[in-house]
Structures are given as structure tokens and as C-alpha cells.
Coordinates of all heavy atoms in Angstrom, one line a residue:
I1 N 0.9 -1.2 0.1 CA 0.0 0.0 0.0 C 0.8 1.2 0.0 O 1.7 1.4 0.8 CB -1.0 0.0 1.2 CG1 -1.9 -1.2 1.1 CG2 -1.6 1.4 1.4 CD1 -2.8 -1.4 2.4
G2 N 0.7 2.2 -1.0 CA 1.5 3.2 -1.1 C 1.4 3.8 -2.5 O 0.8 3.4 -3.4
L3 N 2.2 4.9 -2.7 CA 2.2 5.6 -4.0 C 3.0 4.7 -5.0 O 3.7 3.9 -4.7 CB 2.9 7.0 -3.9 CG 2.3 8.0 -3.0 CD1 2.9 9.3 -3.2 CD2 0.8 8.1 -3.3
F4 N 2.8 5.1 -6.2 CA 3.4 4.4 -7.4 C 3.3 2.9 -7.4 O 4.2 2.2 -7.9 CB 5.0 4.8 -7.4 CG 5.3 6.2 -7.4 CD1 5.9 6.8 -6.3 CD2 4.9 7.0 -8.4 CE1 6.1 8.2 -6.4 CE2 5.1 8.4 -8.5 CZ 5.8 9.0 -7.3
N5 N 2.1 2.5 -7.1 CA 1.9 1.0 -7.1 C 0.5 0.6 -7.3 O 0.2 -0.6 -7.0 CB 2.4 0.5 -5.6 CG 2.8 -1.0 -5.6 OD1 3.3 -1.5 -6.7 ND2 2.6 -1.6 -4.5
T6 N -0.2 1.4 -8.0 CA -1.6 0.9 -8.3 C -1.8 0.7 -9.9 O -1.2 1.6 -10.7 CB -2.7 2.1 -7.9 OG1 -2.6 2.2 -6.5 CG2 -4.1 1.7 -8.3
D7 N -2.4 -0.4 -10.2 CA -2.5 -0.7 -11.6 C -3.2 0.5 -12.4 O -4.1 1.1 -11.8 CB -3.2 -1.9 -11.9 CG -3.3 -2.4 -13.2 OD1 -4.0 -1.9 -14.1 OD2 -2.4 -3.2 -13.6
P8 N -2.7 0.8 -13.6 CA -3.2 2.0 -14.3 C -4.8 1.9 -14.6 O -5.4 2.9 -14.7 CB -2.4 2.0 -15.6 CG -1.1 1.4 -15.3 CD -1.5 0.3 -14.2
V9 N -5.3 0.7 -14.7 CA -6.7 0.4 -14.9 C -7.6 1.1 -13.9 O -8.7 1.5 -14.1 CB -7.0 -1.2 -14.8 CG1 -8.5 -1.4 -14.9 CG2 -6.4 -1.8 -16.1
L10 N -6.9 1.2 -12.6 CA -7.8 1.8 -11.6 C -7.5 3.4 -11.3 O -7.8 3.9 -10.3 CB -7.4 1.0 -10.2 CG -7.8 -0.4 -10.2 CD1 -7.2 -1.2 -9.0 CD2 -9.2 -0.6 -10.3
R11 N -6.8 3.9 -12.3 CA -6.4 5.3 -12.1 C -7.6 6.3 -11.9 O -7.5 7.2 -11.1 CB -5.6 5.8 -13.4 CG -5.1 7.3 -13.2 CD -4.3 7.8 -14.5 NE -4.0 9.1 -14.4 CZ -4.7 10.1 -14.8 NH1 -5.9 9.8 -15.2 NH2 -4.2 11.4 -14.6
E12 N -8.6 6.1 -12.6 CA -9.8 7.0 -12.5 C -10.5 6.9 -11.1 O -11.0 7.9 -10.7 CB -10.8 6.5 -13.5 CG -10.6 6.8 -14.9 CD -9.9 8.3 -15.0 OE1 -10.7 9.2 -14.6 OE2 -8.9 8.6 -15.6
V13 N -10.3 5.8 -10.4 CA -10.8 5.7 -9.0 C -10.0 6.8 -8.1 O -10.5 7.4 -7.3 CB -10.7 4.3 -8.4 CG1 -11.2 4.3 -7.0 CG2 -11.3 3.3 -9.3
D14 N -8.6 6.8 -8.3 CA -7.9 7.8 -7.6 C -8.3 9.3 -7.9 O -8.3 10.1 -7.1 CB -6.4 7.6 -7.8 CG -5.9 6.3 -7.2 OD1 -6.4 6.0 -6.1 OD2 -5.1 5.6 -7.8
V15 N -8.5 9.4 -9.2 CA -8.9 10.8 -9.6 C -10.3 11.3 -8.9 O -10.4 12.3 -8.5 CB -9.1 10.9 -11.2 CG1 -9.7 12.2 -11.7 CG2 -7.8 10.6 -11.9
A16 N -11.2 10.2 -9.0 CA -12.5 10.5 -8.3 C -12.4 10.7 -6.7 O -13.0 11.6 -6.2 CB -13.5 9.4 -8.6
S17 N -11.4 9.9 -6.1 CA -11.1 10.1 -4.7 C -10.7 11.4 -4.4 O -11.1 12.1 -3.4 CB -10.2 9.0 -4.2 OG -10.7 7.6 -4.5
I18 N -9.7 11.9 -5.0 CA -9.2 13.2 -4.9 C -10.2 14.3 -5.1 O -10.3 15.4 -4.4 CB -7.8 13.5 -5.7 CG1 -6.7 12.4 -5.3 CG2 -7.4 14.8 -5.5 CD1 -5.6 12.2 -6.2
T19 N -10.9 14.2 -6.3 CA -12.0 15.1 -6.6 C -13.0 15.2 -5.5 O -13.4 16.3 -5.1 CB -12.5 14.8 -8.0 OG1 -11.6 14.8 -9.0 CG2 -13.6 15.8 -8.2
D20 N -13.4 14.1 -5.0 CA -14.4 14.1 -3.9 C -13.9 14.7 -2.6 O -14.7 15.5 -2.0 CB -14.9 12.6 -3.7 CG -15.9 12.0 -4.7 OD1 -16.1 12.8 -5.7 OD2 -16.0 10.8 -4.6
S21 N -12.7 14.4 -2.4 CA -12.2 15.0 -1.2 C -12.1 16.5 -1.1 O -12.4 17.1 -0.2 CB -10.8 14.4 -0.8 OG -9.8 14.8 -1.7
R22 N -11.8 17.0 -2.3 CA -11.8 18.5 -2.4 C -13.1 19.1 -2.5 O -13.4 20.2 -2.0 CB -10.9 18.9 -3.7 CG -9.5 18.5 -3.6 CD -8.7 18.9 -4.8 NE -7.3 18.5 -4.7 CZ -6.4 18.8 -5.6 NH1 -6.8 19.4 -6.6 NH2 -5.1 18.3 -5.5
T23 N -14.0 18.4 -3.2 CA -15.5 18.9 -3.2 C -16.1 19.0 -1.8 O -16.8 19.9 -1.4 CB -16.4 17.9 -4.0 OG1 -15.8 17.8 -5.3 CG2 -17.9 18.4 -4.1
L24 N -15.7 18.0 -0.9 CA -16.1 18.0 0.5 C -15.3 18.9 1.4 O -15.6 19.1 2.6 CB -16.1 16.6 1.0 CG -17.1 15.7 0.3 CD1 -16.8 14.2 0.8 CD2 -18.5 16.0 0.6
G25 N -14.2 19.6 0.9 CA -13.5 20.5 1.6 C -12.8 19.8 2.8 O -12.5 20.4 3.8
L26 N -12.3 18.6 2.5 CA -11.5 17.8 3.5 C -10.2 18.7 3.9 O -9.5 19.1 3.0 CB -11.1 16.4 3.2 CG -12.2 15.5 3.0 CD1 -11.7 14.0 2.9 CD2 -13.2 15.5 4.2
A27 N -9.9 18.7 5.2 CA -8.7 19.5 5.7 C -7.5 18.7 5.2 O -7.5 17.6 4.8 CB -8.8 19.4 7.2
P28 N -6.4 19.4 5.0 CA -5.2 18.8 4.5 C -4.5 17.7 5.5 O -4.9 17.7 6.6 CB -4.2 20.0 4.3 CG -4.7 21.1 5.2 CD -6.2 20.9 5.3
Y29 N -3.6 17.1 4.9 CA -2.9 15.9 5.5 C -2.5 16.3 7.0 O -2.6 15.8 8.0 CB -1.8 15.5 4.7 CG -0.8 14.6 5.3 CD1 -0.8 13.3 5.7 CD2 0.5 15.2 5.6 CE1 0.2 12.6 6.1 CE2 1.5 14.5 6.1 CZ 1.3 13.2 6.4 OH 2.4 12.4 6.9
N30 N -1.7 17.5 7.1 CA -1.2 17.9 8.4 C -2.2 18.2 9.4 O -2.0 17.9 10.6 CB -0.2 19.3 8.2 CG 1.2 18.9 8.4 OD1 1.5 17.9 9.1 ND2 2.1 19.8 8.0
S31 N -3.4 18.6 8.9 CA -4.4 18.9 9.9 C -5.0 17.6 10.5 O -5.2 17.5 11.7 CB -5.5 19.6 9.3 OG -5.1 21.0 8.7
Y32 N -5.0 16.6 9.7 CA -5.4 15.3 10.3 C -4.4 14.6 11.1 O -4.7 13.9 12.1 CB -5.9 14.4 9.1 CG -7.3 14.7 8.6 CD1 -7.4 15.5 7.4 CD2 -8.4 14.1 9.2 CE1 -8.8 15.7 7.1 CE2 -9.8 14.3 8.8 CZ -9.8 15.2 7.8 OH -11.1 15.5 7.4
R33 N -3.1 14.9 10.8 CA -2.1 14.4 11.7 C -2.3 14.9 13.1 O -2.3 14.3 14.1 CB -0.7 14.7 11.2 CG -0.2 13.8 10.0 CD 1.2 14.1 9.6 NE 2.1 14.0 10.7 CZ 2.7 12.9 11.0 NH1 2.5 11.7 10.3 NH2 3.6 12.8 12.0
E34 N -2.5 16.2 13.1 CA -2.6 16.9 14.5 C -3.9 16.5 15.2 O -3.9 16.1 16.3 CB -2.7 18.3 14.2 CG -2.6 19.3 15.4 CD -2.5 20.6 15.1 OE1 -3.2 21.2 14.2 OE2 -1.7 21.4 15.9
H35 N -5.0 16.1 14.3 CA -6.3 15.7 15.0 C -6.1 14.3 15.5 O -6.7 13.9 16.5 CB -7.3 15.6 13.9 CG -8.7 15.3 14.3 ND1 -9.5 16.2 15.1 CD2 -9.4 14.2 14.0 CE1 -10.6 15.7 15.3 NE2 -10.7 14.5 14.7
C36 N -5.2 13.5 15.0 CA -4.9 12.1 15.4 C -3.8 12.1 16.3 O -3.2 10.9 16.6 CB -4.6 11.2 14.2 SG -6.3 11.0 13.2
R37 N -3.3 13.2 16.9 CA -2.2 13.2 17.9 C -0.9 12.8 17.4 O 0.0 12.1 18.0 CB -2.6 12.4 19.2 CG -3.9 12.9 19.8 CD -4.2 12.0 21.0 NE -5.5 12.3 21.5 CZ -6.1 11.7 22.6 NH1 -5.5 10.8 23.2 NH2 -7.3 12.2 23.0
F38 N -0.6 13.1 16.1 CA 0.7 13.1 15.7 C 1.3 14.6 15.5 O 0.5 15.4 15.2 CB 0.8 12.3 14.2 CG 0.7 10.9 14.2 CD1 -0.6 10.4 13.7 CD2 1.6 10.2 14.5 CE1 -0.7 9.0 13.6 CE2 1.5 8.8 14.5 CZ 0.3 8.2 14.1
P39 N 2.6 14.7 15.5 CA 3.1 16.1 15.2 C 2.9 16.5 13.7 O 2.9 15.6 13.0 CB 4.7 15.9 15.5 CG 4.8 14.7 16.2 CD 3.7 13.7 15.8
R40 N 2.7 17.8 13.5 CA 2.6 18.2 12.1 C 4.0 18.0 11.5 O 5.1 18.2 12.1 CB 2.2 19.7 12.1 CG 0.9 19.9 12.5 CD 0.5 21.3 12.5 NE 0.4 21.9 11.2 CZ -0.8 22.0 10.6 NH1 -2.0 21.5 11.2 NH2 -0.9 22.5 9.4
V41 N 4.1 17.6 10.2 CA 5.4 17.5 9.6 C 5.8 18.8 8.9 O 5.0 19.6 8.7 CB 5.4 16.5 8.4 CG1 5.2 15.1 9.1 CG2 4.3 16.7 7.4

């Protein structure tokens, strides 16, 4: 599980996932780290 390791056939699923997360205004990665009690990078 990680970047650069998904079959190209499934690329559109990643496009849709990123699009949906932005449509919903999800906070950025660092904000969720802080919310889950990790230090901000």
C-alpha cells in the first residue's frame, strides 16, 4: 500500500477520490495528523 503502486486500470478511482475529497473540503494531511495526535510535519 503506497504511491506508485496501483495498476493504471484503477487510475480513475484515484482521480475520483481526490476530486471528492476536495469537493467536500477535507482538511489537508497535516491537519489530520494533528487531529490524530501526531506532530505536524
Side-chain angles (χ1 to χ4, degrees):
I1 294 172
L3 298 186
F4 304 117
N5 207 28
T6 299
D7 189 279
V9 170
L10 299 172
R11 180 178 180 276
E12 290 308 309
V13 183
D14 291 318
V15 174
S17 299
I18 296 165
T19 301
D20 286 351
S21 71
R22 293 183 183 181
T23 301
L24 295 169
L26 291 192
Y29 162 76
N30 243 343
S31 298
Y32 279 93
R33 282 186 60 87
E34 193 171 38
H35 189 68
C36 293
R37 301 182 185 178
F38 283 111
R40 297 176 71 90
V41 295

